[in-house]
């Protein structure tokens, strides 16, 4: 019998709300700041708008606000996750990227703050993606397809804080931890992700909390 794919998408209305609501909010807010809240100090280019005739100032303020809202909408939409649980694989996709994991390797799925995490049978992290989907919908989707669901990280008590010089961590891993700590402090998400993967290859699972790194080793 053919096994269908279970799909849990970000609701279309939520994505539409972002694309419509953020630009409109940006336009209205900048217009309010420029024309009504005249006492607020503004950086040079925005302050110049106040010197324009009323109609021109309103048009320019709204146009710039809408543009800024669209830029923000792009970043927000990048976190619109769709989860597909098929016969052979689990796919976590976002606009512009997708992560595929063989279904047989996934032991448990759980939410970690605003991320969805998949773990393998040895405790190794298989995937971690930004996620704002309903935990109830995800729990139903995974359990119906025979994949365990946990309300939090089942290894939560096993993590230790990383500090330079821990004797049980080899120098190679310490170098990666140090580089990733710098990326965490600077907010470089791309570097954080890449270095998390590198540490994963060495058997380390990372959890961030308030710009601090916590680690555990995957069993086996």
């Amino acid at each position: 019998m053919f096994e269908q794919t279970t799909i849990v998408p970000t609701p279309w209305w939520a994505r539409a709300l972002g694309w419509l609501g953020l630009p409109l909010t940006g336009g209205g807010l900048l217009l309010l700041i420029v024309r009504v809240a005249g006492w607020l100090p503004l950086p040079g280019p925005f302050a110049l708008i106040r010197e324009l005739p009323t109609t021109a100032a309103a048009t320019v303020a709204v146009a710039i606000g809408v543009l800024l809202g669209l830029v923000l909408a792009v970043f927000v939409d990048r976190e619109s996750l769709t989860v597909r649980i098929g016969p052979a694989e689990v796919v976590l996709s976002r606009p512009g990227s997708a992560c595929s994991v063989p279904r047989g390797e996934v032991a448990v799925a759980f939410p970690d703050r605003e991320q969805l995490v998949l773990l393998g049978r040895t405790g190794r992290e298989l995937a971690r993606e930004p996620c704002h989907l309903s935990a109830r919908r995800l729990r139903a989707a995974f359990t119906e397809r025979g994949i365990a669901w946990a309300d939090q990280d089942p290894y939560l008590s096993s993590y230790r804080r990383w500090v330079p010089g821990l004797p049980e961590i080899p120098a190679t891993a310490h170098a990666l931890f140090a580089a990733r700590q710098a990326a965490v402090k600077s907010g470089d998400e791309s570097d954080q992700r890449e270095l998390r993967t590198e540490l994963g290859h060495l058997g380390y699972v990372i959890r961030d909390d308030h710009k601090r790194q916590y680690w555990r080793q995957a069993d086996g």
Side-chain angles (χ1 to χ4, degrees):
M1 182 178 178
F2 178 73
E3 186 177 357
Q4 294 184 338
T5 297
T6 299
I7 302 176
V8 183
T10 296
W12 67 267
W13 56 264
R15 298 184 68 183
L17 187 62
W19 282 108
L20 294 174
L22 289 173
L24 291 176
T25 300
L29 184 60
L30 190 56
L31 176 62
L32 179 66
I33 291 174
V34 169
R35 300 307 302 171
V36 178
W39 53 271
L40 285 175
L42 292 175
F46 295 103
L48 291 176
I49 298 176
R50 285 178 174 159
E51 306 302 322
L52 297 174
T54 301
T55 302
T59 301
V60 172
V62 170
I64 294 176
V66 168
L67 180 61
L68 292 175
L70 284 171
V71 172
L72 181 57
V74 170
F75 287 102
V76 171
D77 195 61
R78 285 181 181 174
E79 296 195 357
S80 299
L81 186 68
T82 295
V83 178
R84 292 179 173 85
I85 309 173
E89 61 184 2
V90 178
V91 180
L92 309 182
S93 61
R94 296 182 288 129
S97 69
C99 174
S100 176
V101 179
R103 177 174 160 181
E105 294 184 10
V106 182
V108 60
F110 65 91
D112 184 15
R113 287 162 290 192
E114 294 186 343
Q115 296 180 318
L116 175 64
V117 182
L118 307 181
L119 295 182
R121 304 190 184 284
T122 64
R124 184 169 66 90
E125 189 172 284
L126 304 176
R128 176 184 288 267
E129 293 291 339
C131 178
H132 305 286
L133 297 171
S134 161
R136 177 184 57 81
R137 293 173 63 201
L138 289 171
R139 181 189 300 109
F142 279 102
T143 55
E144 285 174 3
R145 303 308 295 270
I147 299 174
W149 173 267
D151 292 327
Q152 65 175 14
D153 189 340
Y155 293 88
L156 193 58
S157 62
S158 301
Y159 288 88
R160 299 173 56 192
R161 184 176 176 181
W162 174 79
V163 293
L166 285 175
E168 59 268 49
I169 297 179
T172 300
H174 267 306
L176 293 172
F177 272 112
R180 191 172 184 279
Q181 185 65 54
V184 169
K185 288 184 177 180
S186 67
D188 188 337
E189 294 185 2
S190 176
D191 218 23
Q192 291 177 48
R193 191 179 186 94
E194 181 179 341
L195 290 165
R196 178 193 291 276
T197 300
E198 292 296 321
L199 285 163
H201 293 159
L202 298 178
Y204 294 95
V205 181
I206 314 302
R207 189 174 191 273
D208 297 322
D209 187 15
H210 294 92
K211 295 188 180 296
R212 294 187 290 266
Q213 297 182 101
Y214 292 80
W215 63 278
R216 66 175 175 83
Q217 286 185 291
D219 298 336

